[in-house]
Amino acid sequence: MRAARYLGDRRVTVQDVPIPSVGPTDVLLAPEFVGVCGTDAHIVDGEYRSAPPVTLGHEIGGRVVEIGSAVRTVRVGDLVSVEPHYYCGVCVHCQSGRVNMCPDRRAPGVHLDGGMAEFLAVDETIAYPVPGTQDARRAALTEPLACAVHGMDRLAPASGSALVVFGVGPVGALLLMLARRAGVGPVVAVEGRSGRRDLAQRVGADIVLDPTEDGLVDRLLEASGGIGFPSAIDAVGSAAVLETAIPALSRGGRLLVFGVAHPDARASISPHDIYARELTILGTALNPFTHRRAANLVHQLPLDELTVGDFPLERFDEALAAQRAGTYDKVFITPQVAR
Ligand SMILES: [Zn+2]
Ligand SMILES: [Zn+2]
């Protein structure tokens, strides 16, 4: 079968590799849509620790083509989404229910062969049937959605209260959709690209602000009714956003850091401000125990509003370039499509 393999040293190539064998608890999938995300770019740049040579692809939607003898929950032909983590189960974090903090987790598409291939075998425990749709693209989007669901669990914005989301990339858009459905509002989006500001409006933002215009903090305070936001999300991952978001919080406000900043980035923030206004800054990582909920939800969201770019395996480099450039709201590899 063909597979897009990361070989190290920024090199990705399509190779012929054996079709994986199917153990008793394994599910063999034919991935139809596999999302390309910032993590893939970081892997190829050597900034995210992986285990080359490895088949890329961790946002996986596909059809079950074979099941092992002990598999109970999926059948051949089912549409499934992969929750791309195997947790060690024995570290203090796993045993305390915070599996996403497991230092020994192994991820298909990062440390183990992933979905950018004609076939992928995963354990039944990480293959989730997706109800309510036959759309494998939605199944693939379940993974980033599960991360967004965890982020919203962390932030826990109250319905009827204001929220600002900085950055309307694909995950920013998912967060806006979740906020809208949770009755949070007014929802304000801050985005520098006009196409993404339009997307924000289509998926539920009440007010959309361009950060390249002057006086952003003042405009944010005005949009919040003058008191600041009880909840804010950095879906960019940058020091500049953190430095803007904190002054835009209300007293007692909470900021969720969702975007992945460069590890060397440093922000200037006021400890006194955090103390005196009793602010909370929250991290959020991965999708612990939220993949089932995301799979249940994914058919209900306005995901067709995202512009998409589809690329066969052989055009992985083009797909990654499109992901980096933001040419489309979301980029997918289509492993079943011949070059
Ligand atoms: Zn991803
Ligand atoms: Zn662990």
Side-chain angles (χ1 to χ4, degrees), residues 35-40 58-59 84 143-144 147 171 330:
V36 180
C37 84
T39 301
D40 298 300
H58 61 274
E59 300 180 0
E143 198 273 344
C147 298
V171 173
K330 188 67 186 177

Side-chain angles (χ1 to χ4, degrees), residues 230-273:
S231 306
I233 303 176
D234 167 11
V236 176
S238 88
V241 167
L242 204 72
E243 290 171 355
T244 306
I246 290 175
L249 289 173
S250 67
R251 294 183 173 219
R254 295 159 65 83
L255 169 66
L256 181 74
V257 180
F258 197 111
V260 182
H262 191 280
D264 297 334
R266 295 291 182 274
S268 177
I269 58 177
S270 160
H272 183 272
D273 190 29

Side-chain angles (χ1 to χ4, degrees), residues 72-151:
R72 294 179 304 151
T73 56
V74 298
R75 286 191 244 171
V76 170
D78 281 357
L79 177 66
V80 296
S81 166
V82 175
E83 197 289 87
H85 303 99
Y86 295 107
Y87 296 107
C88 84
V90 295
C91 74
V92 65
H93 307 291
C94 284
Q95 294 192 340
S96 317
R98 297 196 73 177
V99 291
N100 56 331
M101 294 294 103
C102 174
D104 296 319
R105 66 175 183 266
R106 313 259 294 153
V110 183
H111 320 98
L112 307 167
D113 286 340
M116 292 184 190
E118 288 179 85
F119 299 99
L120 166 69
V122 296
D123 193 85
E124 177 186 17
T125 53
I126 67 166
Y128 286 64
V130 181
T133 180
Q134 293 300 321
D135 181 356
R137 196 191 294 280
R138 284 182 183 251
L141 285 166
T142 300
E143 198 273 344
L145 179 62
C147 298
V149 168
H150 176 57

Side-chain angles (χ1 to χ4, degrees), residues 49-67:
R49 194 171 50 83
S50 64
V54 69
T55 301
L56 293 170
H58 61 274
E59 300 180 0
I60 304 157
R63 293 277 165 190
V64 177
V65 295
E66 188 182 334
I67 58 172

